[in-house]
Amino acid sequence: MQPKWLEWTQKLQAIAQNGLTYSENPFDIERFKQVRAIAAEIMATYSNVEHNDVLDLFTRELGYATPKVDVRGAVFRDNTILLVKERSDGLWTLPGGWADVGDSPSEVVVREVFEESGYQTRATKVLAVYDRDRQGHPPFPFYIYKIFFQCELVGGSPSASIETEEVGFFAEDALPELSVGRVTAKQIQRIFQHYR
């Protein structure tokens, strides 16, 4: 188990890095730089590395804080699979999203399935771990691993969200048009093979 100071440093650095990536307000940018400096100070204090060296390391990290891990939940009911229709592109995908610093992949997938579909689940098995760049997805600026979990349906009811506009279960031979940046037909076919 990692020490608490390291966990705090990682979380603060992730908050600062994400804030600096997406903020345009100069006051917010300054605040996120201060958060990054505090994270560097914590790490320097407990790791016996010079503060400026840690700050330089953190400053070189750009974009959304790594690890770049995308989790997707495969929820089955009566030989059909749960898909959600994304508001951003109007296409369908397995519910899921970015893994967050401090949460396990299985915790993230359960939360994402609920937030995007309204269904409560329990992650039961890792079905696949893919290198996104080798799976036929369109190009993306960051290197990503995709983790697919089989999730057991335990409750809830279909509900759209701020990210999704429809929720449905589909047979393997009747899939709607997929958001291939998130999931491919080949991946869903492989997930059905696991299910069978």
Side-chain angles (χ1 to χ4, degrees):
M1 185 170 195
Q2 68 182 2
K4 202 66 173 167
W5 64 264
L6 183 56
E7 179 182 335
W8 295 333
T9 300
Q10 290 171 339
K11 287 181 179 181
L12 288 172
Q13 166 57 14
I15 290 167
Q17 184 175 330
N18 292 342
L20 289 167
T21 299
Y22 296 111
S23 294
E24 295 180 14
N25 180 301
F27 297 104
D28 287 339
I29 291 169
E30 190 58 37
R31 287 182 193 100
F32 286 119
K33 286 180 180 179
Q34 289 172 355
V35 170
R36 181 175 60 197
I38 291 168
E41 185 175 350
I42 292 170
M43 181 167 276
T45 299
Y46 289 96
S47 67
N48 296 318
V49 175
E50 289 295 323
H51 178 265
N52 287 340
D53 293 341
V54 175
L55 188 57
D56 181 57
L57 176 69
F58 287 172
T59 301
R60 285 184 274 140
E61 287 294 315
L62 303 174
Y64 192 86
T66 55
K68 296 289 184 216
V69 177
D70 178 52
V71 298
R72 297 285 154 183
V75 182
F76 292 96
R77 183 177 73 188
D78 301 324
N79 295 316
T80 61
I81 194 164
L82 174 68
L83 297 177
V84 295
K85 188 175 185 181
E86 291 282 338
R87 288 187 190 276
S88 63
D89 63 10
L91 302 173
W92 293 83
T93 185
L94 295 169
W98 292 121
D100 295 311
V101 172
D103 291 337
S104 72
S106 61
E107 291 169 331
V108 173
V109 78
V110 167
R111 183 181 66 244
E112 289 284 340
V113 170
F114 178 70
E115 288 175 356
E116 294 186 359
S117 74
Y119 286 107
Q120 297 166 331
T121 60
R122 182 174 65 87
T124 58
K125 182 180 182 181
V126 173
L127 299 176
V129 178
Y130 290 121
D131 177 331
R132 185 185 184 279
D133 287 349
R134 299 176 188 190
Q135 291 297 306
H137 294 281
F140 195 77
F142 301 107
Y143 205 81
I144 299 166
Y145 289 132
K146 299 181 72 61
I147 305 175
F148 291 82
F149 286 87
Q150 184 166 335
C151 296
E152 177 185 358
L153 186 59
V154 296
S157 59
S159 175
S161 72
I162 61 170
E163 295 179 71
T164 59
E165 57 186 49
E166 288 183 55
V167 177
F169 282 87
F170 296 88
E172 183 177 7
D173 61 356
L175 297 176
E177 188 176 0
L178 297 175
S179 179
V180 294
R182 294 173 176 87
V183 69
T184 66
K186 184 177 178 182
Q187 290 166 337
I188 290 180
Q189 290 167 356
R190 182 71 175 139
I191 289 167
F192 266 101
Q193 289 173 352
H194 281 291
Y195 176 65
R196 284 191 291 275

